[in-house]
Every structure is written in structure tokens, then in C-alpha cells.
């Protein structure tokens, strides 16, 4: 016979497994005040897709002297890249009160800004300008299918780039595996490393919450098995606390439960050679010696380039050998950096 405590524990577990666990990412994980310096207020935000699309950004709560609602400020956002393609965007923004918090509206974000990118802001109280910018990583990182060259919040990346994100608002058109991945990444409990866990028993119900048609519910569990075989997700033994929050590894004294776990694949990649050179050398013009370059398949050097190659040989600027088919010659030239 079950005790009252056992029944209550089972009720809590059933309740936890029947609903999505939504960490307070926007309030706790997305915003990081950075204090003040020389009279400036500083904070850092991981910008989401909704902010990028809508041209807005929240101001974190807790500022001692936040910008007054209704005021207009000049916002400049620097998004560094290759020297010749540095991104910078400026806009006149309106400070608005929305849902109990202040927001910047009318933001023009630099092109190429990816969801989850960390942007640091600084503002001097009473001033009319806010300066903001992202920061390049030492080496670019590939997070699943996206390459990030700037510092980012992995938790926001996992949420904001889940399958279907590129389809905008509404119910996305996804495969069965896509629905599993979307639900796990959108509704799973996130850890600081970006991994997401969700009670397996709750998966179909939570897929339905996100818009999965009832007619496809029976196809979700086979999709889970496929994803596990492909090692894109894992099945682990975790636990639930009294508030229904899952943990992995399981914690002592908590109810054991089967969890599905997604871990983002983060790979450091070598930067572009031009990027390496820019980091070592000051920006200046320089001469590039003539060289032989392979052409795309089916392409041939022009008569002028063949003659230029012969002239370079006569002038001893290149190795004395004929220009092979499929290659061309690039004359010595001056390159601006």
C-alpha cells in the first residue's frame, strides 16, 4: 500500500513529466550587467533572433540610473570582421517601457549578426549616445551547422537556432526527427554548457505544445530511436527534484527518471589565412609577387596571361617552366590592407 508521501511524490513526477520545463533564460541567463567604469554603465546581452528581426533590445533591470522612457539616444554597434568588411551600424533609438522593463527600439543591427552573439553596451548617464560591440573569438567555432566568429552564449544559440527557427513565426514544417530536436532544444532544461534534458515520457506531449499534429504523434518515438542510433541525442538516467526540475547526473534523494539529452557539437576551426595575417600585421599597402594559380574546372588562361607568364620567366620572376593547362598567372601587384 502506498503512503501519502509516495502518492505526492508520484503526482509531482507526473506533473513534471507532463509539461515543459522552461528555465528563465531571458531574465537570468541572457543578460549580464558588467558594472560601471569612469561613470559609464556597462552591460552585456546575448541578442536573440526576435531582437534582430524586430530591431530592439532590452535594457537589463537593476540599473541605478537607466535611460528615461521616451528619450531618444544614438546607438552605434560595432561588429568586427575581416579588416575590409568590418560591420558598423548606427541608429536613433527610442527608450520604451514594455512589460515592466525598458527596451531600445529602432535598433539597426550590423549585417551578419548571429543569434546568441554577445554584445556589450556602455552608456554614460545623461549622455545621448550608447556604444556597443561584439568581440572576435581567438578561433572561430562551429556550433552544429553555424560558424560563430564572435563571442556567444551557447544557451541562447541552442534555443534560438533550433530546427524550424529559419521558418519564422507559426508552426514549422519539420521531419519527425526535426520535431524531436526542436522540442528538446526549445523546451528542455538547459545547462551552462548548452546541453538540454527533457523527461522522455513528456516528449510527445511537449511536441504537441509546439504544434506537432496529433496524427504524427506515433512517429515521434521511432524518430527518437533513430536520433540515438545516429548519436545526435542520448538517453540517460537522471532525476527530478520536488519542483519537477530534471538533473543529470541524478542527484541523491530525487526520483529517478529516463531523460533525453542533447549536447551541442562545438568544434574550434582554424581562422581564414587572411584573418591570421591581419592579426599579426598592421594595416598597410604591400606588394604581392607574381604567382601561378589554379583555375576552376574547365577554365583556361587567356593569351594575355600566358604571355605575361612568359615575360615573368624571362625576367626570372618565376620558375622557368611552361604554364600548365588549367592554371593562370597573376602579375605582381600592390594589395591594399
Amino acid at each position: 500500500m502506498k503512503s501519502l508521501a509516495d502518492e505526492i511524490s508520484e503526482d509531482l513526477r507526473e506533473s513534471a513529466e507532463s509539461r515543459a520545463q522552461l528555465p528563465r533564460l531571458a531574465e537570468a541567463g541572457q543578460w549580464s550587467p558588467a558594472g560601471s567604469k569612469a561613470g559609464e554603465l556597462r552591460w552585456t546581452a546575448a541578442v536573440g533572433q526576435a531582437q534582430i528581426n524586430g530591431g530592439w533590445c532590452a535594457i537589463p533591470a537593476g540599473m541605478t540610473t537607466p535611460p528615461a522612457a521616451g528619450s531618444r539616444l544614438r546607438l552605434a554597434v560595432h561588429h568586427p570582421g575581416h579588416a575590409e568588411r568590418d560591420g558598423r551600424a548606427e541608429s536613433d533609438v527610442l527608450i520604451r517601457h514594455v512589460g515592466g522593463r525598458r527596451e531600445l527600439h529602432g535598433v539597426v543591427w550590423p549585417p551578419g549578426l548571429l543569434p546568441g552573439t554577445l554584445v556589450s553596451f556602455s552608456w554614460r548617464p545623461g549622455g545621448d549616445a550608447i556604444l556597443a560591440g561584439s568581440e572576435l573569438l581567438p578561433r572561430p567555432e562551429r556550433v552544429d551547422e553555424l560558424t560563430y566568429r564572435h563571442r556567444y552564449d551557447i544557451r541562447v544559440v541552442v534555443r534560438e537556432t533550433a530546427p524550424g527557427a529559419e521558418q519564422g513565426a507559426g508552426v514549422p514544417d519539420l521531419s519527425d526527427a526535426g520535431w524531436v530536436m526542436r522540442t528538446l532544444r526549445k523546451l528542455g532544461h538547459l545547462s551552462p554548457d548548452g546541453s538540454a534534458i527533457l523527461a522522455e515520457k513528456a516528449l510527445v506531449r511537449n511536441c504537441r505544445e509546439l504544434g506537432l499534429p496529433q496524427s504524427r504523434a506515433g512517429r515521434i518515438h521511432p524518430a527518437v530511436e533513430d536520433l540515438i542510433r545516429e548519436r545526435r541525442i542520448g538517453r540517460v538516467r537522471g532525476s527530478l527534484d520536488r519542483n519537477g526540475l530534471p538533473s543529470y547526473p541524478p542527484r541523491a534523494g530525487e526520483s529517478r527518471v529516463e531523460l533525453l539529452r542533447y549536447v551541442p557539437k562545438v568544434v574550434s576551426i582554424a581562422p581564414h589565412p587572411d584573418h591570421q595575417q591581419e592579426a599579426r600585421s598592421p594595416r598597410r599597402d604591400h606588394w604581392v609577387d607574381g604567382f601561378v594559380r589554379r583555375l576552376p574546372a574547365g577554365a583556361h588562361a587567356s593569351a594575355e596571361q600566358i604571355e605575361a607568364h612568359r615575360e615573368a620567366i624571362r625576367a626570372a620572376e618565376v620558375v622557368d617552366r611552361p604554364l600548365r593547362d588549367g592554371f593562370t598567372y597573376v602579375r605582381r601587384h600592390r594589395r591594399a590592407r
Side-chain angles (χ1 to χ4, degrees), residues 80-144:
H82 290 290
E84 68 273 16
R85 295 198 302 272
D86 272 8
R88 186 177 180 86
E90 297 189 8
S91 51
D92 292 315
V93 295
L94 174 66
I95 311 301
R96 294 177 57 187
H97 247 134
V98 180
R101 67 182 181 192
R102 286 179 170 83
E103 296 178 351
L104 305 175
H105 280 259
V107 176
V108 175
W109 297 105
L113 190 75
L114 293 176
T117 299
L118 290 168
V119 178
S120 297
F121 296 78
S122 65
W123 175 68
R124 186 179 297 277
D128 59 0
I130 298 177
L131 299 180
S134 59
E135 181 182 338
L136 284 168
L137 291 166
R139 292 169 65 95
E141 294 180 354
R142 183 175 292 279
V143 183
D144 290 335

Side-chain angles (χ1 to χ4, degrees), residues 262-298:
Y262 157 81
V263 180
K265 184 178 180 181
V266 180
V267 179
S268 180
I269 59 178
H272 189 280
D274 288 347
H275 225 158
Q276 293 177 320
Q277 185 65 26
E278 285 162 11
R280 293 192 297 265
S281 305
R283 296 178 65 178
R284 61 180 182 272
D285 292 351
H286 65 286
W287 284 99
V288 178
D289 290 335
F291 59 93
V292 174
R293 182 178 66 190
R294 182 186 294 274
L295 291 168

Side-chain angles (χ1 to χ4, degrees), residues 75-231:
L75 172 66
V77 185
H78 181 218
H79 188 54
H82 290 290
E84 68 273 16
R85 295 198 302 272
D86 272 8
R88 186 177 180 86
E90 297 189 8
S91 51
D92 292 315
V93 295
L94 174 66
I95 311 301
R96 294 177 57 187
H97 247 134
V98 180
R101 67 182 181 192
R102 286 179 170 83
E103 296 178 351
L104 305 175
H105 280 259
V107 176
V108 175
W109 297 105
L113 190 75
L114 293 176
T117 299
L118 290 168
V119 178
S120 297
F121 296 78
S122 65
W123 175 68
R124 186 179 297 277
D128 59 0
I130 298 177
L131 299 180
S134 59
E135 181 182 338
L136 284 168
L137 291 166
R139 292 169 65 95
E141 294 180 354
R142 183 175 292 279
V143 183
D144 290 335
E145 300 302 320
L146 291 175
T147 299
Y148 280 78
R149 301 185 180 280
H150 305 79
R151 291 180 59 234
Y152 60 88
D153 186 326
I154 187 62
R155 296 165 297 176
V156 180
V157 172
V158 166
R159 286 283 199 246
E160 295 287 313
T161 63
E166 70 282 358
Q167 299 182 34
V171 178
D173 180 16
L174 297 172
S175 66
D176 300 329
W179 273 106
V180 174
M181 296 296 287
R182 177 176 175 80
T183 302
L184 192 52
R185 290 174 60 169
K186 296 291 284 187
L187 300 183
H189 182 79
L190 283 174
S191 296
D193 65 356
S195 60
I197 52 178
L198 185 67
E200 185 169 4
K201 189 176 178 180
L203 179 62
V204 173
R205 192 176 294 110
N206 288 331
C207 286
R208 295 278 293 123
E209 263 189 44
L210 292 181
L212 174 76
Q214 178 61 42
S215 60
R216 295 177 60 180
R219 294 156 51 176
I220 292 302
H221 287 301
V224 168
E225 299 303 327
D226 289 342
L227 288 168
I228 290 174
R229 279 193 296 270
E230 295 168 5
R231 298 186 179 182

Side-chain angles (χ1 to χ4, degrees), residues 290-302 305 309 323-330:
F291 59 93
V292 174
R293 182 178 66 190
R294 182 186 294 274
L295 291 168
H300 305 279
S302 67
Q305 290 162 327
H309 182 258
L323 186 63
R324 290 182 293 162
D325 190 36
F327 288 79
T328 188
Y329 177 69
V330 180

